[in-house]
């Protein structure tokens, strides 16, 4: 079964060109969309952002072999936003009187300004120019972002993909077709599972959680700052490894590490506080809890955090891309909202069992990835449909239609 989930990308087609400074700058600017998302999470647990378009923009701009790392700039910006909010909260909590929270809220204007100014300078992606019938501009942009003149093959594939997508007039009806079943399942399952890791219990409520288990006000805010730092640093680990070792290994390792951390925290809190909720942690035990929360956050930050945005942004063919990404974002935000609403009630009812609850979900999602998600590293987006065809499960269940509009140039993916 293990090998069944993998599709070797060793021979995947690689187009000419490389990483250019231009792509790096555009991706950094586009990724700042995540700053406000993150700042919002850290300050209020609410969202206003451009999360629908940023991950897609990054994936369309990046060369296939660096797509993972560049796309994760978005998640890195989210984590920096959260960390900034944690630091601001820590600082404003020291202010006497009741206007500290106003400063925290008002400072959301900073990432908003960065993002707005950046957006003015962002160029269109080649895909978008082709879609809007501007072939020469699209070619020039492709030359510019790949840093080479030999872009013909990639350009041809982009045009073919665009032609195929134009024949599709109802992306919402289309995504329900059997041939898009794997993408549809992933567009729902990945964001759903990402939220069921329980990460936002930590991101929204870390200070409350730390206070509940006996930390003083200051120590609670400081612990949130520490886990915020770990979140950012661990995201960098994912950025530098994802295009080399792939998505699956990060998902699987992250899942196991989150599961172990949550189980140990559950057992420790259960032993000390029991179901009555009374008791107190020794200094040593409190340190261990903070350490385990950090190992949990680190695992999320190099697995489900960035991959929860990367994988959906790279698996949809152009003809269903906007519908697929909209489902992904909606499911993500819906369950972010649900978890934020039910957390305190769950904590009151389940007590330490809350950690086992999320650990159970992490186990399920890790098995799900192991069985159903093929490796997508280094595969050009226009050829991604072949990855499902080669998968032991999806391949058997996809209709074997010879749709000429979906026939791209000879794939070089080896099974
Ligand atoms: C998730 C957010 C979460 C953040 C933590 C993102 O990928 O979508 O819900 O708060 O990671 O870093």
């Amino acid at each position: 079964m293990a090998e069944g989930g993998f599709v070797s990308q060793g021979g995947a087609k690689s187009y000419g060109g490389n990483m250019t400074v231009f792509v790096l700058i555009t991706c950094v600017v586009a990724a700042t969309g995540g700053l406000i998302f993150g700042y919002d999470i850290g300050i209020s647990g609410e969202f206003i952002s451009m999360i629908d378009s940023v991950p897609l923009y990054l994936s369309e701009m990046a060369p296939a072999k660096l797509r993972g790392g560049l796309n994760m700039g978005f998640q890195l910006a989210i984590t920096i936003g959260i960390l900034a909010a944690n630091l601001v909260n820590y600082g404003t909590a020291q202010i006497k009187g009741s206007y500290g929270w106003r400063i925290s809220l008002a400072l959301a204007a900073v990432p908003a300004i960065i993002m707005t100014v950046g957006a003015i300078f962002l160029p269109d992606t080649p895909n978008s120019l082709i879609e809007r019938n501007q072939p020469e501009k699209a070619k020039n942009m492709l030359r510019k972002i790949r840093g080479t003149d030999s872009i013909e093959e990639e350009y041809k594939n982009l045009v073919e993909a665009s032609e195929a997508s134009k024949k599709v007039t109802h992306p919402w009806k289309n995504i329900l077709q059997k041939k898009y079943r794997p993408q549809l399942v992933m567009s729902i399952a990945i964001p759903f599972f990402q939220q069921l890791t329980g990460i936002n219990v930590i991101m929204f409520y870390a200070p409350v959680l730390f206070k509940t288990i006996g930390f003083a006000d200051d120590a609670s805010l400081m612990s949130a700052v520490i886990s915020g730092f770990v979140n950012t640093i661990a995201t960098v680990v994912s950025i530098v490894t994802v295009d080399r070792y792939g998505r699956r290994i990060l998902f699987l390792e992250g899942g196991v590490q989150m599961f172990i951390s949550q189980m140990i925290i559950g057992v420790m809190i259960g032993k000390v506080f029991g179901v009555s909720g009374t008791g107190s942690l020794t200094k040593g035990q409190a340190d261990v809890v903070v350490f385990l929360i950090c190992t949990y956050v680190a695992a999320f930050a190099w697995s489900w955090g960035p991959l929860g945005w990367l994988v959906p942004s790279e698996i949809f063919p152009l003809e269903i891309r906007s519908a697929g990404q909209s489902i992904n974002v909606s499911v993500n935000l819906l369950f972010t909202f649900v978890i934020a609403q039910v957390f305190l009630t769950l904590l009151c009812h389940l007590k330490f069992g809350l950690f086992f609850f999320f650990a159970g979900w992490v186990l399920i999602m890790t098995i799900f990835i192991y069985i159903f998600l093929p490796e997508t590293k280094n595969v050009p987006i226009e050829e991604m449909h072949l990855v499902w065809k080669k998968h032991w499960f999806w391949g058997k269940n996809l209709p074997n239609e010879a749709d000429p509009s979906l026939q791209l140039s000879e794939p070089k993916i080896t099974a």
Side-chain angles (χ1 to χ4, degrees):
M1 179 88 70
E3 306 83 54
F6 284 102
V7 175
S8 158
Q9 264 69 52
K13 174 173 295 188
S14 68
Y15 300 123
N18 232 316
M19 174 68 178
T20 58
V21 177
F22 183 72
V23 163
L24 188 65
I25 293 172
T26 51
C27 287
V28 168
V29 174
T32 61
L35 277 180
I36 193 158
F37 183 16
Y39 190 84
D40 246 14
I41 294 170
I43 287 293
S44 59
E46 304 283 337
F47 309 98
I48 31 165
S49 114
M50 297 167 68
I51 46 178
D52 226 43
S53 44
V54 175
L56 291 186
Y57 183 95
L58 293 169
S59 283
E60 287 185 3
M61 271 290 187
K65 56 187 176 209
L66 294 172
R67 187 177 60 236
L70 282 176
N71 181 288
M72 286 180 177
F74 175 62
Q75 175 72 14
L76 184 66
I78 295 178
T79 63
I80 293 172
I82 296 175
L83 177 60
N86 287 343
L87 287 166
V88 168
N89 280 343
Y90 185 75
T92 55
Q94 324 293 326
I95 299 175
K96 301 256 176 304
S98 65
Y99 69 95
W101 67 270
R102 292 175 213 273
I103 298 178
S104 298
L105 216 51
L107 283 176
V110 175
I113 291 168
I114 298 176
M115 200 176 85
T116 310
V117 174
I120 297 170
F121 298 103
L122 279 182
D124 287 313
T125 63
N127 303 54
S128 152
L129 290 165
I130 293 170
E131 290 260 283
R132 287 179 292 132
N133 249 332
Q134 305 184 17
E136 279 319 306
K137 277 192 178 170
K139 280 187 185 169
N140 284 338
M141 183 53 65
L142 207 51
R143 284 190 199 103
K144 203 165 172 184
I145 63 178
R146 300 290 179 250
T148 170
D149 281 341
S150 46
I151 43 98
E152 285 311 319
E153 194 181 356
E154 183 173 6
Y155 179 77
K156 195 172 133 249
N157 280 352
L158 289 177
V159 171
E160 280 171 355
S162 165
E163 295 295 310
S165 83
K166 276 191 189 136
K167 297 200 179 104
V168 180
T169 40
H170 303 289
W172 287 99
K173 215 166 107 194
N174 271 290
I175 202 169
L176 297 175
Q177 287 177 35
K178 204 167 175 206
K179 66 178 171 187
Y180 299 127
R181 200 52 46 87
Q183 290 93 334
L184 179 64
V185 169
M186 292 300 159
S187 73
I188 298 169
I190 290 182
F192 169 76
F193 283 143
Q194 192 207 48
Q195 290 308 315
L196 265 291
T197 56
I199 188 66
N200 283 323
V201 165
I202 305 293
M203 292 301 139
F204 296 168
Y205 294 109
V208 178
L209 205 69
F210 287 126
K211 252 170 103 166
T212 313
I213 57 177
F215 286 42
D217 277 4
D218 245 27
S220 302
L221 285 173
M222 192 25 103
S223 306
V225 171
I226 294 171
S227 58
F229 262 113
V230 170
N231 195 16
T232 304
I233 305 293
T235 305
V236 178
V237 173
S238 201
I239 290 177
V240 294
T241 54
V242 68
D243 291 309
R244 177 171 306 181
Y245 303 110
R247 285 67 169 146
R248 279 175 54 90
I249 185 74
L250 287 170
F251 264 127
L252 299 178
E253 193 286 333
V256 171
Q257 188 172 321
M258 280 194 283
F259 177 79
I260 295 174
S261 310
Q262 285 167 320
M263 292 298 287
I264 304 180
I265 299 175
V267 170
M268 277 186 69
I269 306 249
K271 275 197 154 169
V272 176
F273 294 95
V275 276
S276 69
T278 47
S280 66
L281 294 171
T282 63
K283 165 90 177 65
Q285 286 169 329
D287 287 346
V288 174
V289 169
V290 173
F291 172 77
L292 288 168
I293 289 200
C294 289
T295 57
Y296 161 77
V297 169
F300 175 87
W302 60 56
S303 61
W304 282 89
L307 296 170
W309 296 108
L310 167 65
V311 173
S313 79
E314 62 185 9
I315 58 173
F316 304 123
L318 199 51
E319 60 272 21
I320 54 160
R321 197 169 294 163
S322 55
Q325 177 68 352
S326 303
I327 295 175
N328 174 43
V329 173
S330 311
V331 173
N332 192 303
L333 294 190
L334 174 67
F335 283 93
T336 306
F337 172 76
V338 171
I339 301 276
Q341 295 309 308
V342 301
F343 160 69
L344 286 175
T345 316
L346 276 181
L347 182 63
C348 291
H349 284 89
L350 298 179
K351 309 223 162 54
F352 61 90
L354 186 66
F355 292 97
F356 299 141
F357 171 78
F358 286 119
W361 279 107
V362 168
L363 186 64
I364 294 171
M365 66 187 80
T366 307
I367 295 171
F368 173 86
I369 294 292
Y370 181 71
I371 298 178
F372 294 115
L373 187 76
E375 182 56 68
T376 51
K377 134 185 120 156
N378 293 352
V379 182
I381 299 191
E382 308 76 59
E383 304 194 358
M384 201 59 83
H385 62 285
L386 299 166
V387 160
W388 307 104
K389 290 217 172 99
K390 298 261 177 193
H391 187 267
W392 71 274
F393 174 79
W394 299 115
K396 272 195 303 220
N397 292 289
L398 286 177
N400 212 356
E401 54 190 283
D403 179 347
S405 63
L406 290 174
Q407 300 301 306
L408 298 176
S409 52
E410 192 45 34
K412 293 188 189 121
I413 297 174
T414 52

